[in-house]
Amino acid sequence: MACHCRGCQRMSSSAYSLSAAIPASAFELTQGEPVIGGMHGADRHYFCGHCMTWMFTRPGGIDAFVNCRATLLDETDWLSPFVETYTSTKLPFADTGAVHSFEKFPPMEAYEGLLNEYVMTSK
């Protein structure tokens, strides 16, 4: 997912942030102790305590997944945004090639269908 919201633009110092939604049950920190930073509110944004890189977000009220900054993964050649959000604040030059675009976030009931479509098209 590519998010064009002003918060992601500010926290990533870029036109948008890239996230991979990882099931919370499969997400594990293997070393270090992250610190909460960035935009303070219901969402908890975790940063590396050493270099202060934005690593992942635990969205408020959504415990099923963790939004990991996709470019922090060891292998990134598969990255291609499937969904882009907050196109209402998208910078004019920031084209992602995402299959689905939303002015804000998709409605919660759309996530299951988007996930299923992603799984079917990424095989």
Side-chain angles (χ1 to χ4, degrees):
M1 179 183 300
C3 183
H4 299 275
C5 79
R6 294 292 293 139
C8 283
Q9 290 172 357
R10 289 180 176 128
M11 288 191 301
S12 66
S13 297
S14 187
Y16 52 86
S17 69
L18 288 174
S19 296
I22 308 295
S25 60
F27 182 80
E28 179 183 7
L29 288 175
T30 58
Q31 70 182 66
E33 187 64 37
V35 296
I36 295 178
M39 310 297 289
H40 295 274
D43 296 337
R44 295 169 317 276
H45 306 288
Y46 291 85
F47 292 74
C48 171
H50 178 71
C51 69
M52 301 311 288
T53 297
W54 181 22
M55 300 185 311
F56 63 95
T57 298
R58 292 187 182 272
I62 304 173
D63 296 328
F65 64 88
V66 175
N67 278 335
C68 180
R69 302 284 72 78
T71 52
L72 293 177
L73 300 173
D74 290 336
E75 296 180 25
T76 58
D77 58 337
W78 59 273
L79 289 177
S80 180
F82 186 70
V83 172
E84 64 181 344
T85 59
Y86 270 83
T87 58
S88 58
T89 53
K90 177 179 175 177
L91 297 175
F93 64 86
D95 293 321
T96 67
V99 176
H100 296 281
S101 298
F102 296 91
E103 284 191 14
K104 302 263 178 169
F105 287 119
M108 284 305 293
E109 60 272 10
Y111 280 94
E112 183 176 356
L114 289 167
L115 180 58
N116 289 336
E117 183 182 344
Y118 175 77
V119 168
M120 295 305 294
T121 59
S122 64
K123 288 184 176 183

mmCIF file of all heavy atoms in Angstrom, residues 34-71:
data_model
loop_
_atom_site.group_PDB
_atom_site.id
_atom_site.type_symbol
_atom_site.label_atom_id
_atom_site.label_comp_id
_atom_site.label_asym_id
_atom_site.label_seq_id
_atom_site.Cartn_x
_atom_site.Cartn_y
_atom_site.Cartn_z
ATOM 1 N N PRO A 34 11.989 -0.592 19.848
ATOM 2 C CA PRO A 34 11.516 0.582 19.127
ATOM 3 C C PRO A 34 10.942 1.635 20.071
ATOM 4 O O PRO A 34 10.580 1.329 21.214
ATOM 5 C CB PRO A 34 10.430 0.015 18.217
ATOM 6 C CG PRO A 34 9.921 -1.178 18.947
ATOM 7 C CD PRO A 34 11.117 -1.740 19.674
ATOM 8 N N VAL A 35 10.877 2.852 19.574
ATOM 9 C CA VAL A 35 10.276 3.955 20.321
ATOM 10 C C VAL A 35 9.087 4.475 19.528
ATOM 11 O O VAL A 35 9.077 4.422 18.296
ATOM 12 C CB VAL A 35 11.292 5.087 20.591
ATOM 13 C CG1 VAL A 35 12.418 4.597 21.482
ATOM 14 C CG2 VAL A 35 11.843 5.667 19.301
ATOM 15 N N ILE A 36 8.088 4.953 20.235
ATOM 16 C CA ILE A 36 6.917 5.527 19.575
ATOM 17 C C ILE A 36 7.226 6.979 19.244
ATOM 18 O O ILE A 36 7.769 7.718 20.060
ATOM 19 C CB ILE A 36 5.665 5.404 20.468
ATOM 20 C CG1 ILE A 36 5.324 3.929 20.655
ATOM 21 C CG2 ILE A 36 4.495 6.151 19.839
ATOM 22 C CD1 ILE A 36 4.141 3.671 21.558
ATOM 23 N N GLY A 37 6.877 7.358 18.035
ATOM 24 C CA GLY A 37 7.121 8.732 17.601
ATOM 25 C C GLY A 37 6.162 9.122 16.500
ATOM 26 O O GLY A 37 5.113 8.502 16.329
ATOM 27 N N GLY A 38 6.547 10.094 15.719
ATOM 28 C CA GLY A 38 5.731 10.530 14.585
ATOM 29 C C GLY A 38 4.474 11.234 15.024
ATOM 30 O O GLY A 38 4.459 11.975 15.999
ATOM 31 N N MET A 39 3.414 10.987 14.295
ATOM 32 C CA MET A 39 2.124 11.604 14.576
ATOM 33 C C MET A 39 1.516 10.884 15.774
ATOM 34 O O MET A 39 1.289 9.686 15.726
ATOM 35 C CB MET A 39 1.203 11.472 13.362
ATOM 36 C CG MET A 39 1.838 11.906 12.041
ATOM 37 S SD MET A 39 2.305 13.635 11.973
ATOM 38 C CE MET A 39 0.726 14.397 11.906
ATOM 39 N N HIS A 40 1.278 11.593 16.843
ATOM 40 C CA HIS A 40 0.754 10.967 18.060
ATOM 41 C C HIS A 40 -0.766 10.963 18.014
ATOM 42 O O HIS A 40 -1.399 11.938 17.656
ATOM 43 C CB HIS A 40 1.261 11.707 19.301
ATOM 44 C CG HIS A 40 2.751 11.604 19.456
ATOM 45 N ND1 HIS A 40 3.350 10.545 20.082
ATOM 46 C CD2 HIS A 40 3.752 12.403 19.031
ATOM 47 C CE1 HIS A 40 4.658 10.700 20.061
ATOM 48 N NE2 HIS A 40 4.930 11.817 19.422
ATOM 49 N N GLY A 41 -1.327 9.837 18.336
ATOM 50 C CA GLY A 41 -2.775 9.676 18.319
ATOM 51 C C GLY A 41 -3.118 8.216 18.494
ATOM 52 O O GLY A 41 -2.364 7.459 19.118
ATOM 53 N N ALA A 42 -4.218 7.784 17.896
ATOM 54 C CA ALA A 42 -4.671 6.396 18.035
ATOM 55 C C ALA A 42 -3.697 5.416 17.386
ATOM 56 O O ALA A 42 -3.473 4.324 17.901
ATOM 57 C CB ALA A 42 -6.058 6.238 17.424
ATOM 58 N N ASP A 43 -3.118 5.798 16.250
ATOM 59 C CA ASP A 43 -2.121 4.934 15.602
ATOM 60 C C ASP A 43 -0.799 5.059 16.346
ATOM 61 O O ASP A 43 -0.412 6.149 16.758
ATOM 62 C CB ASP A 43 -1.917 5.336 14.139
ATOM 63 C CG ASP A 43 -3.163 5.145 13.292
ATOM 64 O OD1 ASP A 43 -4.023 4.324 13.668
ATOM 65 O OD2 ASP A 43 -3.269 5.819 12.260
ATOM 66 N N ARG A 44 -0.110 3.929 16.497
ATOM 67 C CA ARG A 44 1.184 3.937 17.180
ATOM 68 C C ARG A 44 2.270 3.685 16.135
ATOM 69 O O ARG A 44 2.343 2.617 15.544
ATOM 70 C CB ARG A 44 1.200 2.884 18.288
ATOM 71 C CG ARG A 44 0.199 3.229 19.397
ATOM 72 C CD ARG A 44 -0.039 2.109 20.403
ATOM 73 N NE ARG A 44 -0.185 0.766 19.885
ATOM 74 C CZ ARG A 44 -1.318 0.231 19.408
ATOM 75 N NH1 ARG A 44 -2.422 0.935 19.390
ATOM 76 N NH2 ARG A 44 -1.354 -1.014 18.980
ATOM 77 N N HIS A 45 3.098 4.691 15.903
ATOM 78 C CA HIS A 45 4.167 4.625 14.914
ATOM 79 C C HIS A 45 5.473 4.321 15.638
ATOM 80 O O HIS A 45 5.885 5.064 16.524
ATOM 81 C CB HIS A 45 4.273 5.957 14.163
ATOM 82 C CG HIS A 45 2.982 6.397 13.547
ATOM 83 N ND1 HIS A 45 2.444 5.789 12.443
ATOM 84 C CD2 HIS A 45 2.114 7.379 13.898
ATOM 85 C CE1 HIS A 45 1.309 6.373 12.129
ATOM 86 N NE2 HIS A 45 1.083 7.342 12.999
ATOM 87 N N TYR A 46 6.119 3.228 15.244
ATOM 88 C CA TYR A 46 7.328 2.773 15.920
ATOM 89 C C TYR A 46 8.566 3.075 15.075
ATOM 90 O O TYR A 46 8.589 2.815 13.872
ATOM 91 C CB TYR A 46 7.247 1.271 16.189
ATOM 92 C CG TYR A 46 6.204 0.928 17.218
ATOM 93 C CD1 TYR A 46 4.877 0.767 16.862
ATOM 94 C CD2 TYR A 46 6.549 0.777 18.555
ATOM 95 C CE1 TYR A 46 3.912 0.456 17.805
ATOM 96 C CE2 TYR A 46 5.593 0.463 19.503
ATOM 97 C CZ TYR A 46 4.280 0.307 19.126
ATOM 98 O OH TYR A 46 3.323 0.002 20.064
ATOM 99 N N PHE A 47 9.571 3.604 15.732
ATOM 100 C CA PHE A 47 10.821 4.001 15.096
ATOM 101 C C PHE A 47 11.976 3.253 15.735
ATOM 102 O O PHE A 47 11.915 2.874 16.907
ATOM 103 C CB PHE A 47 11.042 5.512 15.280
ATOM 104 C CG PHE A 47 10.062 6.360 14.521
ATOM 105 C CD1 PHE A 47 8.749 6.482 14.939
ATOM 106 C CD2 PHE A 47 10.454 7.028 13.384
ATOM 107 C CE1 PHE A 47 7.842 7.264 14.234
ATOM 108 C CE2 PHE A 47 9.560 7.808 12.664
ATOM 109 C CZ PHE A 47 8.252 7.923 13.099
ATOM 110 N N CYS A 48 13.048 3.063 14.979
ATOM 111 C CA CYS A 48 14.264 2.476 15.520
ATOM 112 C C CYS A 48 14.825 3.426 16.573
ATOM 113 O O CYS A 48 14.993 4.625 16.312
ATOM 114 C CB CYS A 48 15.275 2.263 14.390
ATOM 115 S SG CYS A 48 16.916 1.770 14.969
ATOM 116 N N GLY A 49 15.104 2.911 17.769
ATOM 117 C CA GLY A 49 15.640 3.732 18.842
ATOM 118 C C GLY A 49 17.056 4.216 18.578
ATOM 119 O O GLY A 49 17.514 5.169 19.197
ATOM 120 N N HIS A 50 17.744 3.595 17.636
ATOM 121 C CA HIS A 50 19.125 3.969 17.322
ATOM 122 C C HIS A 50 19.191 5.017 16.212
ATOM 123 O O HIS A 50 19.759 6.083 16.384
ATOM 124 C CB HIS A 50 19.930 2.734 16.923
ATOM 125 C CG HIS A 50 21.340 3.028 16.543
ATOM 126 N ND1 HIS A 50 22.299 3.411 17.457
ATOM 127 C CD2 HIS A 50 21.951 3.018 15.331
ATOM 128 C CE1 HIS A 50 23.433 3.632 16.823
ATOM 129 N NE2 HIS A 50 23.250 3.390 15.532
ATOM 130 N N CYS A 51 18.587 4.716 15.052
ATOM 131 C CA CYS A 51 18.701 5.630 13.904
ATOM 132 C C CYS A 51 17.440 6.452 13.665
ATOM 133 O O CYS A 51 17.429 7.337 12.820
ATOM 134 C CB CYS A 51 19.072 4.865 12.636
ATOM 135 S SG CYS A 51 17.752 3.787 12.009
ATOM 136 N N MET A 52 16.370 6.145 14.397
ATOM 137 C CA MET A 52 15.089 6.840 14.324
ATOM 138 C C MET A 52 14.350 6.649 12.997
ATOM 139 O O MET A 52 13.493 7.431 12.625
ATOM 140 C CB MET A 52 15.250 8.336 14.636
ATOM 141 C CG MET A 52 15.834 8.598 16.027
ATOM 142 S SD MET A 52 15.020 7.699 17.375
ATOM 143 C CE MET A 52 13.470 8.564 17.484
ATOM 144 N N THR A 53 14.647 5.566 12.279
ATOM 145 C CA THR A 53 13.916 5.230 11.062
ATOM 146 C C THR A 53 12.526 4.729 11.428
ATOM 147 O O THR A 53 12.375 3.927 12.348
ATOM 148 C CB THR A 53 14.664 4.135 10.268
ATOM 149 O OG1 THR A 53 15.929 4.648 9.874
ATOM 150 C CG2 THR A 53 13.889 3.683 9.051
ATOM 151 N N TRP A 54 11.522 5.186 10.694
ATOM 152 C CA TRP A 54 10.143 4.730 10.898
ATOM 153 C C TRP A 54 10.054 3.295 10.413
ATOM 154 O O TRP A 54 10.269 3.000 9.243
ATOM 155 C CB TRP A 54 9.212 5.644 10.130
ATOM 156 C CG TRP A 54 7.750 5.350 10.246
ATOM 157 C CD1 TRP A 54 7.110 4.666 11.234
ATOM 158 C CD2 TRP A 54 6.753 5.772 9.331
ATOM 159 N NE1 TRP A 54 5.766 4.624 10.995
ATOM 160 C CE2 TRP A 54 5.513 5.297 9.825
ATOM 161 C CE3 TRP A 54 6.770 6.490 8.156
ATOM 162 C CZ2 TRP A 54 4.318 5.535 9.166
ATOM 163 C CZ3 TRP A 54 5.577 6.729 7.502
ATOM 164 C CH2 TRP A 54 4.362 6.254 8.000
ATOM 165 N N MET A 55 9.740 2.356 11.309
ATOM 166 C CA MET A 55 9.761 0.934 10.977
ATOM 167 C C MET A 55 8.377 0.330 10.743
ATOM 168 O O MET A 55 8.191 -0.422 9.803
ATOM 169 C CB MET A 55 10.472 0.147 12.074
ATOM 170 C CG MET A 55 11.915 0.573 12.277
ATOM 171 S SD MET A 55 12.814 -0.460 13.467
ATOM 172 C CE MET A 55 11.705 -0.535 14.861
ATOM 173 N N PHE A 56 7.434 0.597 11.624
ATOM 174 C CA PHE A 56 6.111 0.002 11.481
ATOM 175 C C PHE A 56 5.090 0.798 12.256
ATOM 176 O O PHE A 56 5.427 1.637 13.095
ATOM 177 C CB PHE A 56 6.103 -1.472 11.908
ATOM 178 C CG PHE A 56 6.433 -1.721 13.354
ATOM 179 C CD1 PHE A 56 5.430 -1.858 14.301
ATOM 180 C CD2 PHE A 56 7.754 -1.843 13.775
ATOM 181 C CE1 PHE A 56 5.735 -2.104 15.644
ATOM 182 C CE2 PHE A 56 8.070 -2.092 15.093
ATOM 183 C CZ PHE A 56 7.054 -2.214 16.030
ATOM 184 N N THR A 57 3.825 0.515 11.949
ATOM 185 C CA THR A 57 2.701 1.177 12.604
ATOM 186 C C THR A 57 1.705 0.122 13.041
ATOM 187 O O THR A 57 1.417 -0.825 12.304
ATOM 188 C CB THR A 57 2.013 2.164 11.633
ATOM 189 O OG1 THR A 57 2.950 3.174 11.267
ATOM 190 C CG2 THR A 57 0.790 2.810 12.269
ATOM 191 N N ARG A 58 1.195 0.296 14.239
ATOM 192 C CA ARG A 58 0.070 -0.517 14.716
ATOM 193 C C ARG A 58 -1.142 0.408 14.695
ATOM 194 O O ARG A 58 -1.264 1.295 15.543
ATOM 195 C CB ARG A 58 0.337 -1.055 16.113
ATOM 196 C CG ARG A 58 1.452 -2.097 16.148
ATOM 197 C CD ARG A 58 1.575 -2.732 17.536
ATOM 198 N NE ARG A 58 2.651 -3.681 17.599
ATOM 199 C CZ ARG A 58 2.541 -4.977 17.285
ATOM 200 N NH1 ARG A 58 1.398 -5.456 16.872
ATOM 201 N NH2 ARG A 58 3.584 -5.774 17.385
ATOM 202 N N PRO A 59 -2.026 0.220 13.684
ATOM 203 C CA PRO A 59 -3.177 1.107 13.562
ATOM 204 C C PRO A 59 -4.117 0.999 14.762
ATOM 205 O O PRO A 59 -4.406 -0.099 15.224
ATOM 206 C CB PRO A 59 -3.875 0.622 12.285
ATOM 207 C CG PRO A 59 -2.862 -0.195 11.563
ATOM 208 C CD PRO A 59 -1.961 -0.768 12.619
ATOM 209 N N GLY A 60 -4.562 2.137 15.255
ATOM 210 C CA GLY A 60 -5.482 2.155 16.392
ATOM 211 C C GLY A 60 -6.782 1.454 16.069
ATOM 212 O O GLY A 60 -7.386 1.685 15.022
ATOM 213 N N GLY A 61 -7.189 0.540 16.934
ATOM 214 C CA GLY A 61 -8.450 -0.160 16.767
ATOM 215 C C GLY A 61 -8.405 -1.316 15.783
ATOM 216 O O GLY A 61 -9.417 -1.970 15.548
ATOM 217 N N ILE A 62 -7.248 -1.566 15.178
ATOM 218 C CA ILE A 62 -7.109 -2.671 14.226
ATOM 219 C C ILE A 62 -5.951 -3.536 14.700
ATOM 220 O O ILE A 62 -4.792 -3.203 14.482
ATOM 221 C CB ILE A 62 -6.850 -2.164 12.789
ATOM 222 C CG1 ILE A 62 -7.953 -1.202 12.361
ATOM 223 C CG2 ILE A 62 -6.740 -3.342 11.827
ATOM 224 C CD1 ILE A 62 -7.681 -0.535 11.032
ATOM 225 N N ASP A 63 -6.275 -4.617 15.372
ATOM 226 C CA ASP A 63 -5.233 -5.476 15.943
ATOM 227 C C ASP A 63 -4.836 -6.629 15.036
ATOM 228 O O ASP A 63 -3.919 -7.380 15.360
ATOM 229 C CB ASP A 63 -5.700 -6.026 17.296
ATOM 230 C CG ASP A 63 -5.903 -4.921 18.317
ATOM 231 O OD1 ASP A 63 -5.177 -3.917 18.243
ATOM 232 O OD2 ASP A 63 -6.786 -5.063 19.170
ATOM 233 N N ALA A 64 -5.498 -6.782 13.886
ATOM 234 C CA ALA A 64 -5.269 -7.947 13.027
ATOM 235 C C ALA A 64 -3.958 -7.880 12.257
ATOM 236 O O ALA A 64 -3.406 -8.898 11.892
ATOM 237 C CB ALA A 64 -6.424 -8.106 12.044
ATOM 238 N N PHE A 65 -3.452 -6.663 11.994
ATOM 239 C CA PHE A 65 -2.232 -6.550 11.205
ATOM 240 C C PHE A 65 -1.351 -5.405 11.686
ATOM 241 O O PHE A 65 -1.777 -4.540 12.439
ATOM 242 C CB PHE A 65 -2.541 -6.415 9.708
ATOM 243 C CG PHE A 65 -3.287 -5.162 9.341
ATOM 244 C CD1 PHE A 65 -2.622 -3.982 9.042
ATOM 245 C CD2 PHE A 65 -4.671 -5.169 9.273
ATOM 246 C CE1 PHE A 65 -3.312 -2.835 8.706
ATOM 247 C CE2 PHE A 65 -5.377 -4.016 8.935
ATOM 248 C CZ PHE A 65 -4.688 -2.852 8.644
ATOM 249 N N VAL A 66 -0.106 -5.445 11.235
ATOM 250 C CA VAL A 66 0.885 -4.409 11.507
ATOM 251 C C VAL A 66 1.332 -3.872 10.151
ATOM 252 O O VAL A 66 1.600 -4.651 9.234
ATOM 253 C CB VAL A 66 2.104 -4.990 12.274
ATOM 254 C CG1 VAL A 66 3.187 -3.948 12.461
ATOM 255 C CG2 VAL A 66 1.666 -5.566 13.604
ATOM 256 N N ASN A 67 1.373 -2.569 10.002
ATOM 257 C CA ASN A 67 1.853 -1.964 8.759
ATOM 258 C C ASN A 67 3.363 -1.783 8.855
ATOM 259 O O ASN A 67 3.845 -0.876 9.518
ATOM 260 C CB ASN A 67 1.202 -0.601 8.512
ATOM 261 C CG ASN A 67 -0.164 -0.718 7.893
ATOM 262 O OD1 ASN A 67 -0.472 -1.706 7.244
ATOM 263 N ND2 ASN A 67 -0.997 0.280 8.086
ATOM 264 N N CYS A 68 4.079 -2.663 8.200
ATOM 265 C CA CYS A 68 5.537 -2.615 8.190
ATOM 266 C C CYS A 68 5.980 -1.746 7.019
ATOM 267 O O CYS A 68 5.421 -1.845 5.922
ATOM 268 C CB CYS A 68 6.076 -4.036 8.038
ATOM 269 S SG CYS A 68 7.869 -4.135 8.002
ATOM 270 N N ARG A 69 6.983 -0.898 7.224
ATOM 271 C CA ARG A 69 7.533 -0.114 6.105
ATOM 272 C C ARG A 69 8.184 -1.103 5.157
ATOM 273 O O ARG A 69 9.200 -1.740 5.462
ATOM 274 C CB ARG A 69 8.565 0.917 6.569
ATOM 275 C CG ARG A 69 8.043 1.918 7.590
ATOM 276 C CD ARG A 69 7.136 3.026 7.049
ATOM 277 N NE ARG A 69 5.814 2.688 6.639
ATOM 278 C CZ ARG A 69 4.764 2.477 7.449
ATOM 279 N NH1 ARG A 69 4.875 2.547 8.743
ATOM 280 N NH2 ARG A 69 3.594 2.188 6.954
ATOM 281 N N ALA A 70 7.604 -1.270 4.016
ATOM 282 C CA ALA A 70 7.986 -2.326 3.079
ATOM 283 C C ALA A 70 9.428 -2.214 2.601
ATOM 284 O O ALA A 70 10.069 -3.234 2.336
ATOM 285 C CB ALA A 70 7.033 -2.312 1.880
ATOM 286 N N THR A 71 9.968 -1.042 2.499
ATOM 287 C CA THR A 71 11.343 -0.882 2.011
ATOM 288 C C THR A 71 12.381 -1.302 3.041
ATOM 289 O O THR A 71 13.570 -1.368 2.717
ATOM 290 C CB THR A 71 11.598 0.567 1.567
ATOM 291 O OG1 THR A 71 11.213 1.451 2.617
ATOM 292 C CG2 THR A 71 10.803 0.891 0.313
#
